[in-house]
């Protein structure tokens, strides 16, 4: 080339950018400008100064137009490392958004587009739902079903049905990867309450009490030995006290766990 290529040569030599840091569309334009500059420098025929200057200007403009997408890529990489912290449903929504928007980085021609994507990602991250901490519920469920299980025998149907329902609900939440923390916490309370509120089935006790109370009336006291009479009266008193309790929940009336 006949013209002065000092500036153009310096621009070409300074081209040390990494492709991964920039949007594809601006990188392609930069590479074309570089190729054109190299072609001018390698030309064997005389090249006018105006062409050299214009090529240098184009290369400088292409370099300045490069859109750095590093911060957006880093933000995407960072959130992807946290996938296991969130419920599958909420993560699926984020992935859908990423799929729709990540490709825009390749066509970004301004830093504003990158900023918009980073801000959009931050908003979407805020919509993610943390996986529930199920340790307390799991421990309680294991205690009630394995460590200290109960059988239906001895409990009234209504309270036992409520207890079984609470156990089933707890199991369902433990198996649900999308369970909310509020639901898990509520299940702990519900299951604990259902176990505490189990009521003894006092049907048989009521029948026995009615039978013996009818037999051991005060007018028959003289027919029994004093010790035997006192023992029976004490038993009847205790049975009556248990029957009068709304929950019939003392150790003597409630089956042992």
């Amino acid at each position: 080339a006949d013209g002065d290529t000092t500036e153009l040569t310096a621009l070409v030599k300074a081209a040390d950018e990494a492709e991964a840091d920039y949007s594809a569309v601006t990188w392609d334009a930069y590479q074309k400008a570089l190729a054109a500059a190299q072609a001018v420098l390698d030309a064997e025929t005389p090249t006018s100064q105006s062409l050299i200057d214009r090529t240098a200007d184009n290369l400088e403009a292409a370099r300045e137009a490069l859109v750095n997408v590093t911060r957006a890529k880093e933000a995407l990489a960072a959130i992807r490392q946290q996938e296991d912290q969130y419920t599958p449903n909420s993560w699926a929504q984020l992935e859908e958004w990423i799929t729709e928007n990540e490709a825009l980085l390749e066509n970004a021609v301004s830093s504003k587009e990158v900023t918009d994507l980073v801000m959009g990602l931050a908003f979407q991250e805020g919509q993610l739902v943390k996986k529930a901490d199920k340790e307390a519920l799991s421990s309680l469920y294991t205690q009630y079903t394995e460590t200290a299980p109960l059988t239906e025998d001895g409990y009234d149907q209504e309270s036992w049905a409520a207890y079984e329902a609470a156990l089933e609900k707890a199991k369902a939440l433990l198996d649900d990867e999308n369970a909310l923390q509020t639901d898990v916490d509520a299940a702990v309370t519900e299951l604990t309450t259902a176990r505490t509120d189990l009521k003894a089935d006092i049907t048989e006790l009521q029948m026995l009490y009615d039978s013996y109370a009818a037999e051991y009336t005060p007018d028959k006291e003289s027919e029994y030995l004093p010790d035997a009479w006192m023992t029976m009266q004490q038993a009847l008193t205790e049975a009556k006290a248990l029957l009068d309790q709304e929950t019939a929940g003392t150790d003597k009336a409630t089956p042992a766990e």
Side-chain angles (χ1 to χ4, degrees):
D2 289 343
D4 183 358
T5 61
T6 303
E7 180 184 0
L8 184 59
T9 300
L11 288 172
V12 171
K13 289 184 176 180
D16 59 353
E17 295 81 5
E19 180 178 358
D21 293 342
Y22 302 97
S23 68
V25 65
T26 59
W27 181 259
D28 288 345
Y30 182 49
Q31 291 305 299
K32 289 178 181 179
L34 270 174
Q38 192 63 55
V40 169
L41 294 175
D42 293 341
E44 296 180 357
T45 58
T47 305
S48 66
Q49 187 63 49
S50 62
L51 177 58
I52 294 173
D53 293 342
R54 187 164 60 252
T55 302
D57 290 342
N58 290 340
L59 180 55
E60 181 66 22
R63 184 178 187 180
E64 292 179 354
L66 283 172
V67 175
N68 193 307
V69 296
T70 304
R71 58 194 174 110
K73 289 185 176 181
E74 289 177 348
L76 288 167
I79 188 61
R80 282 184 168 127
Q81 293 178 357
Q82 302 174 37
E83 179 178 356
D84 61 346
Q85 299 180 26
Y86 300 100
T87 62
N89 283 351
S90 66
W91 186 261
Q93 293 178 1
L94 173 65
E95 279 288 7
E96 182 178 352
W97 183 91
I98 290 177
T99 299
E100 294 176 357
N101 290 271
E102 188 172 19
L104 298 179
L105 284 178
E106 299 303 317
N107 297 313
V109 294
S110 71
S111 59
K112 181 180 182 304
E113 293 176 72
V114 179
T115 299
D116 288 345
L117 187 141
V118 172
M119 292 179 64
L121 179 61
F123 174 80
Q124 293 299 322
E125 184 177 357
Q127 307 306 304
L128 288 171
V129 178
K130 284 275 190 180
K131 286 183 178 179
D133 180 353
K134 302 179 182 180
E135 184 176 353
L137 182 60
S138 178
S139 176
L140 192 65
Y141 183 81
T142 299
Q143 178 187 347
Y144 287 177
T145 58
E146 298 178 18
T147 308
L150 299 177
T151 58
E152 184 176 357
D153 294 342
Y155 295 101
D156 74 347
Q157 293 182 353
E158 184 176 352
S159 66
W160 183 260
Y163 179 54
E164 280 196 321
L167 282 172
E168 292 175 1
K169 182 176 181 180
K171 182 63 166 61
L173 287 170
L174 289 173
D175 292 340
D176 184 4
E177 292 185 342
N178 293 298
L180 300 178
Q181 189 65 56
T182 52
D183 292 337
V184 172
D185 293 342
V188 171
T189 300
E190 184 177 336
L191 182 54
T192 302
T193 300
R195 175 101 165 196
T196 303
D197 287 351
L198 280 172
K199 300 176 182 179
D201 184 353
I202 60 174
T203 304
E204 184 176 356
L205 178 61
Q206 184 69 61
M207 292 176 60
L208 289 172
Y209 175 80
D210 291 343
S211 174
Y212 285 118
E215 180 178 348
Y216 291 90
T217 55
D219 59 301
K220 296 181 180 180
E221 181 178 355
S222 60
E223 299 177 14
Y224 299 92
L225 294 173
D227 287 347
W229 179 261
M230 289 297 296
T231 298
M232 178 55 69
Q233 290 304 309
Q234 182 177 353
L236 286 171
T237 298
E238 291 182 359
K240 182 63 167 61
L242 293 175
L243 292 170
D244 287 343
Q245 291 181 19
E246 182 177 355
T247 61
T250 66
D251 293 338
K252 294 180 180 178
T254 303
E257 296 186 1

